[in-house]
Amino acid sequence: MEELVEEITREEQEKLEEKLQVFGATLAKQRDEWVRSRYSIGVDKRWLEDEDQYNSKDNIAKAASQMMTSVEQGYPVTTQHSKPHRSTVYIGMTRQKTNAAEARVADILLPTDDRNWGIDPTPEPKLMSMATSDIEATDEMGQPMMDTQTQQPMKHKDVAVKIMQEAKLKARAMQTVITDQLVECDYLSELRKVIHDSAVLGTGVVKGPIVTNKMRKAWQPYTDGFGETVHNFMFVEELNPASYRVDPRNVWPDPACGESVHDGKGIFERSVMTPKQVRELKKQPGYMKDQLRKVLEEGPRHSYAMEEMRDEEDRDYASQVYECWEYWGEIDIDDLKASGVEFEEDEDDPLESYSACVVMINNTVVKVYLNPLDSGDLPYDFYTWEKISGSCWGYGIPYLLRSQQKVLNAAWRQMMDNSGVSSGPQIVVKPSVITPADKQWQLSSRKIWFATDDIDDVRKAFTSFEFNSHQNELSGIIKMAAELADQDSGVPMMLQGSQGGVTPDTVGGMQMLMNNTNVVLRRLVKQFDDMVTKPHIRRYYDYN
């Protein structure tokens, strides 16, 4: 009998593993389609260009840097197929503009000693009309309502005041709870990272609330055998919601979501894990140990779509780590049941949507659980610096400055090249009629030359030519490019500490000037509130 039960259990386990394998393959196929979709519209390529521009790199500067690295490592550099040496300097205007805008937005948006949000009761039209009414209030039975303190009949305005006071107290209590949770996860620090991503790449992503396990040290009281209270030092595990920044390059929402990721089917998030981190997951609740063993036996395997886009130099590193994929979104009820998720009502209604989270390592499902939010909202908020119509991705400052950065670099490099050839004369020598005494053809002071009898005038052995300097013309191009960069980026020099031009003599005039320079950035602040702060805090409210 025991052998039969064991055989039935084994068969059920095999069926479960087979269902999970099919489930994982289906999600992996959907994931690869979404990864290829974003790559096909050029978002990933644009991010690489934005990051290189922010770090003052381009193809010319990279080639020069690689050549110098080869020289430093001892590789010979020949003149075969070499090109004339040209300037490769890169003016870091993009970094300056980006950092100035990021710092200003963060300064306005994230105060150091206060919150950038608050919870207050919404105005209720019915209460507003009751607040001025002197009609006596009655309960459902038609009896007059009495004040519990004065034992006097209450009027409509008294009831309205009590309701509003109670609502304010509850709102303040909820605000205190959420504030404590955000302080614990260093919420403001994470938002600064999101603003930086948005300024550089055009899109910043914040995730939360996500329940995290946190260990803290504490002295816990307990009663010993003599009835005395003794404090013992121990580690206490706490479950708290948290928010943190997610690299936008590791997030793939539904391509059909439009401008809001919450309108799509779901979202994938990618992270990497070492074998040690995979083994540590067995201590976390909800992970399937058999599936984790299967992952470790398989070894690291990676998405085909990611392998297609990865550079050759990164593939060796990628082969040593596991890819962990986290999917948030709609899941079929059959797949949820196969993953061990229990439902109170056993019904399959096509109009009912089930929001859940699926964790995969390689293409193996290791954890499935329902969305902790009853609303089913995705725990992701996207902040775009410059919106793109019909897309959840945005443009960053490097992209907005792409043209002016190229003009600035070209003009500055031409100025350096022109300075190199115009700084001294070009000398033409007849080597057959003149010979340096030290056998070196380089010019130096007090140098001795030997002339032959073939020349009657030694001055004919040397001829010099001067090239014109065009610095004034090139300086005008550089100045014009810098002015256009201010307009394209919306970050004038005033925000970078430079007052160029005529400044007002009065305090009021200076204040008006500063207000005008902050108009564009205030638009970004309001945009942040609409795209991140409001939906994020509302999810914390629903969670608590």
Side-chain angles (χ1 to χ4, degrees), residues 404-435:
Q404 302 310 325
Q405 181 68 67
K406 290 180 179 179
V407 171
L408 184 64
N409 287 340
W412 188 257
R413 288 169 180 174
Q414 288 179 2
M415 179 179 286
M416 294 297 101
D417 295 337
N418 180 250
S419 298
V421 298
S422 62
S423 59
Q426 300 288 323
I427 300 175
V428 180
V429 182
K430 287 185 177 181
S432 61
V433 298
I434 193 170
T435 303

Side-chain angles (χ1 to χ4, degrees), residues 174-229:
M174 179 61 73
Q175 180 174 286
T176 303
V177 172
I178 297 177
T179 299
D180 179 67
Q181 294 170 345
L182 296 180
V183 169
E184 287 292 330
C185 67
D186 203 2
Y187 178 64
L188 295 183
S189 177
E190 297 298 318
L191 287 188
R192 292 187 186 96
K193 299 176 185 178
V194 173
I195 296 174
H196 176 77
D197 289 339
S198 178
V200 177
L201 303 177
T203 306
V205 182
V206 60
K207 181 181 180 182
I210 297 297
V211 180
T212 58
N213 296 338
K214 184 177 180 181
M215 303 295 294
R216 68 177 182 88
K217 302 175 183 178
W219 291 92
Q220 295 292 336
Y222 73 96
T223 305
D224 60 10
F226 300 99
E228 297 182 358
T229 301

Side-chain angles (χ1 to χ4, degrees), residues 67 69-77:
M67 184 189 70
T69 302
S70 300
V71 173
E72 293 173 357
Q73 293 177 351
Y75 293 96
V77 178

Side-chain angles (χ1 to χ4, degrees), residues 20-270:
L20 290 175
Q21 184 176 359
V22 173
F23 182 30
T26 303
L27 277 181
K29 181 181 178 181
Q30 178 178 273
R31 173 201 64 202
D32 291 344
E33 291 176 354
W34 292 7
V35 171
R36 292 191 181 98
S37 176
R38 191 181 76 181
Y39 185 78
S40 65
I41 61 177
V43 175
D44 296 271
K45 180 181 178 181
R46 186 177 75 238
W47 284 346
L48 292 175
E49 295 173 353
D50 290 344
E51 194 167 16
D52 284 344
Q53 184 176 332
Y54 176 77
N55 292 316
S56 301
K57 297 179 181 178
D58 60 2
N59 293 333
I60 297 176
K62 285 182 179 179
S65 176
Q66 291 174 356
M67 184 189 70
M68 294 304 300
T69 302
S70 300
V71 173
E72 293 173 357
Q73 293 177 351
Y75 293 96
V77 178
T78 64
T79 58
Q80 185 179 7
H81 304 297
S82 63
K83 298 180 180 179
H85 178 69
R86 303 292 297 272
S87 174
T88 61
V89 295
Y90 198 110
I91 307 302
M93 177 185 66
T94 298
R95 175 184 288 271
Q96 180 185 13
K97 295 284 186 184
T98 304
N99 290 346
E102 173 196 340
R104 188 57 181 161
V105 170
D107 183 60
I108 299 174
L109 187 63
L110 307 176
T112 56
D113 55 351
D114 198 2
R115 300 177 305 275
N116 67 326
W117 57 274
I119 298 179
D120 289 311
T122 57
E124 179 66 34
K126 185 177 180 180
L127 287 179
M128 296 299 101
S129 61
M130 290 176 57
T132 58
S133 175
D134 291 328
I135 301 175
E136 292 189 0
T138 57
D139 56 17
E140 297 178 355
M141 303 299 294
Q143 300 297 324
M145 298 179 63
M146 307 298 291
D147 192 333
T148 56
Q149 296 180 351
T150 63
Q151 298 301 322
Q152 297 293 326
M154 299 179 62
K155 299 180 180 179
H156 280 184
K157 61 181 180 181
D158 299 328
V159 175
V161 169
K162 284 188 173 296
I163 293 176
M164 288 188 290
Q165 289 178 350
E166 184 178 0
K168 289 181 180 179
L169 289 175
K170 290 182 178 181
R172 293 293 181 269
M174 179 61 73
Q175 180 174 286
T176 303
V177 172
I178 297 177
T179 299
D180 179 67
Q181 294 170 345
L182 296 180
V183 169
E184 287 292 330
C185 67
D186 203 2
Y187 178 64
L188 295 183
S189 177
E190 297 298 318
L191 287 188
R192 292 187 186 96
K193 299 176 185 178
V194 173
I195 296 174
H196 176 77
D197 289 339
S198 178
V200 177
L201 303 177
T203 306
V205 182
V206 60
K207 181 181 180 182
I210 297 297
V211 180
T212 58
N213 296 338
K214 184 177 180 181
M215 303 295 294
R216 68 177 182 88
K217 302 175 183 178
W219 291 92
Q220 295 292 336
Y222 73 96
T223 305
D224 60 10
F226 300 99
E228 297 182 358
T229 301
V230 181
H231 289 78
N232 187 23
F233 179 79
M234 60 189 306
F235 289 93
V236 180
E237 182 179 7
E238 292 182 345
L239 298 178
N240 291 318
S243 298
Y244 54 90
R245 167 256 184 187
V246 178
D247 191 335
R249 290 165 289 196
N250 289 330
V251 176
W252 288 266
D254 184 358
C257 68
E259 297 184 3
S260 175
V261 295
H262 298 279
D263 294 335
K265 181 180 179 181
I267 188 170
F268 281 96
E269 179 188 347
R270 174 183 174 271

